[in-house]
């Protein structure tokens, strides 16, 4: 299955969208993750059957979509509204389509927000290494209890400034651990060999990220608590912070509960109970100085939080299954595509309960 590039004006911005399959095919919406674009789905498309209608947008500030600002105080609401507007945009899906929504990492949070806001338009969720329903960082327990009143240690201030500068400079080198290519090889996948001939495509996708205070990473705010920063009100990393993105209760309460499949790798270093991107966990390793200890600032149990929320979703009448891929990292659709496609196709065949 090959894709075509389209541009669509929806929700007030011009969105770049990759489209594949027949207009009357089974609808599937692919939502990419942070520091990437819809091009991250390209290696998967040839593995999908021609019976699907696949739509994969570039989110705002990524790929070829407008570099519109991200209001972090809305959590991932700006992204979800953009994606929701595509459901009825001419030429993408059949009228009234209810797609299976696939969300990778940040895109998993967008997919959850879309379900909360438009439960009658989602036939199923495939959450691939999703951000916790309690956001990224700053929470200690399975119920999302904040580590500090202001969720210190989250938001744009946690971004590595050298990585941000290299993104802005479109650095394609492999020099140093903070180059985008090095991060792709070490964090996005467990085995860099799994990138194969797609590495340049994926790297170019990362380098389309709009760097700045309105996009990635956003504005930093000071905190009186360790490690001295908290989430600001603009930009992507702040939109992911638990001060702004917390939808566990809303997700459990949705009146229409489509089936959810949660796919993750047990070697993921980004979304994990021992995440190398969680300052509290890095503090426990001695990498970030001044860590106050596990009693005051434990690492975020990201995986445990997602499982606890999905257990509640199930108890409230929904269904979910957790699929754990041994030896796989943050991008199962790249590293274990056969298993990933099987889970996607199973969801397209499951009645949604509506």
């Amino acid at each position: 299955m090959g894709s075509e590039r389209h541009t669509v004006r929806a929700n007030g911005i011009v969105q770049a969208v990759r489209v594949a399959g027949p207009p009357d095919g089974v609808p599937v919406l692919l939502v990419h993750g942070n520091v990437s674009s819809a091009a991250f789905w390209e290696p998967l498309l040839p593995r999908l059957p021609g019976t699907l209608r696949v739509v994969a947008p570039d989110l705002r500030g990524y790929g070829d979509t407008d570099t519109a600002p991200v209001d972090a105080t809305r959590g991932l609401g700006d992204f979800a509204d953009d994606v929701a507007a595509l459901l009825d945009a001419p030429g993408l899906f059949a009228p009234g389509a209810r797609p299976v929504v696939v969300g990778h990492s940040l895109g998993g949070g967008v997919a959850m927000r879309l379900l909360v806001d438009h439960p009658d338009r989602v036939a199923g969720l495939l959450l691939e290494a999703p951000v916790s329903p309690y956001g990224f960082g700053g929470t200690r327990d399975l119920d999302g209890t904040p580590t500090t009143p202001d969720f210190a240690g989250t938001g744009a201030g946690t971004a590595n400034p050298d990585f941000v500068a290299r993104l802005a400079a479109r650095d394609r080198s492999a020099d140093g651990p903070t180059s985008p290519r090095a991060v792709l090889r070490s964090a996005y996948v467990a085995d860099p060999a799994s990138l194969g001939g797609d590495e340049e495509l994926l790297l170019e996708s990362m380098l389309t990220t709009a760097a700045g205070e309105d996009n990635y990473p956003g504005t930093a705010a000071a905190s009186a608590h360790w490690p001295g920063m908290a989430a600001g009100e603009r930009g992507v990393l702040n939109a992911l912070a638990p001060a702004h993105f917390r939808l566990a209760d809303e997700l459990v309460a949705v009146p229409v509960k489509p089936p959810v499949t949660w796919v993750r790798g047990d070697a993921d270093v980004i979304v994990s109970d021992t995440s190398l991107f969680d300052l509290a966990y890095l503090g426990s390793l001695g990498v970030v100085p001044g860590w106050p200890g596990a009693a005051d600032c434990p690492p975020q149990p990201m995986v445990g939080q997602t499982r606890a929320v999905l257990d509640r979703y199930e108890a409230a009448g929904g269904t979910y299954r957790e699929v754990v891929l041994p030896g796989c990292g943050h991008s199962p659709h790249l590293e274990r595509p056969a298993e990933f496609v099987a889970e996607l196709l199973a969801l397209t065949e499951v009645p949604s309960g509506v």
Side-chain angles (χ1 to χ4, degrees):
M1 175 184 287
S3 67
E4 298 178 352
R5 304 289 295 275
H6 292 247
T7 56
V8 178
R9 176 166 285 278
N11 198 36
I13 64 172
V14 175
Q15 301 187 49
V17 183
R18 294 171 188 247
V19 180
D24 60 350
V26 177
V28 173
L29 176 64
L30 304 178
V31 186
H32 68 81
N34 196 12
V35 191
S36 63
S37 72
F40 252 64
W41 299 112
E42 280 296 322
L44 184 71
L45 294 182
R47 297 176 175 271
L48 299 180
T51 54
L52 303 182
R53 175 63 165 185
V54 178
V55 173
D58 292 334
L59 297 176
R60 61 171 62 197
Y62 301 94
D64 294 323
T65 287
D66 282 352
T67 305
V70 175
D71 179 354
T73 66
R74 302 189 67 234
L76 299 175
D78 283 351
F79 295 122
D81 287 352
D82 292 343
V83 170
L86 296 177
L87 296 179
D88 295 314
L92 298 182
F93 290 118
R98 298 177 59 249
V100 168
V101 182
V102 182
H104 180 211
S105 195
L106 172 149
V110 176
M112 287 185 260
R113 183 77 256 170
L114 184 67
L115 173 59
V116 167
D117 293 344
H118 305 277
D120 58 334
R121 299 301 303 271
V122 177
L125 285 187
L126 178 51
L127 302 177
E128 179 188 11
V131 61
S132 163
Y134 294 110
F136 197 94
T139 56
R140 67 171 77 190
D141 296 325
L142 298 184
D143 63 358
T145 302
T147 300
T148 63
D150 62 358
F151 299 97
T154 65
T158 67
N160 185 294
D162 190 59
F163 176 67
V164 176
R166 286 171 180 250
L167 274 181
R170 300 180 63 84
D171 177 12
R172 292 175 171 78
S173 76
D175 300 334
T178 58
S179 75
R181 187 184 297 274
V183 171
L184 173 64
R185 291 173 175 174
S186 64
Y188 282 48
V189 293
D191 179 7
S194 65
L195 301 172
D198 295 315
E199 180 172 317
E200 298 306 318
L201 167 73
L202 300 172
L203 176 63
E204 184 62 28
S205 174
M206 293 176 68
L207 296 178
T208 66
T209 302
E213 292 188 337
D214 280 325
N215 299 99
Y216 181 86
T219 54
S223 170
H225 305 282
W226 183 90
M229 83 284 288
E233 297 186 345
R234 295 154 55 198
V236 177
L237 292 191
N238 298 316
L240 283 166
H244 306 309
F245 180 75
R246 294 171 63 83
L247 49 57
D249 292 344
E250 294 173 277
L251 187 65
V252 171
V254 290
V256 179
K257 291 183 168 61
V260 177
T261 300
W262 171 27
V263 179
R264 65 181 184 88
D266 68 359
D268 190 345
V269 299
I270 297 179
V271 176
S272 167
D273 290 351
T274 55
S275 170
L276 296 181
F277 291 74
D278 178 4
L279 291 190
Y281 181 64
L282 293 177
S284 74
L285 298 178
V287 176
V288 180
W291 180 59
D296 294 323
C297 191
Q300 182 188 7
M302 302 178 189
V303 171
Q305 287 176 344
T306 297
R307 186 180 299 115
V309 172
L310 290 178
D311 282 345
R312 290 173 56 199
Y313 183 86
E314 187 169 64
T319 62
Y320 89 93
R321 57 188 254 107
E322 178 182 355
V323 179
V324 184
L325 301 176
C328 181
H330 189 59
S331 306
H333 78 277
L334 298 175
E335 301 172 76
R336 303 285 283 276
E339 291 98 323
F340 190 85
V341 169
E343 296 300 334
L344 171 57
L345 294 183
L347 263 185
T348 65
E349 298 169 357
V350 175
S352 65
V354 178

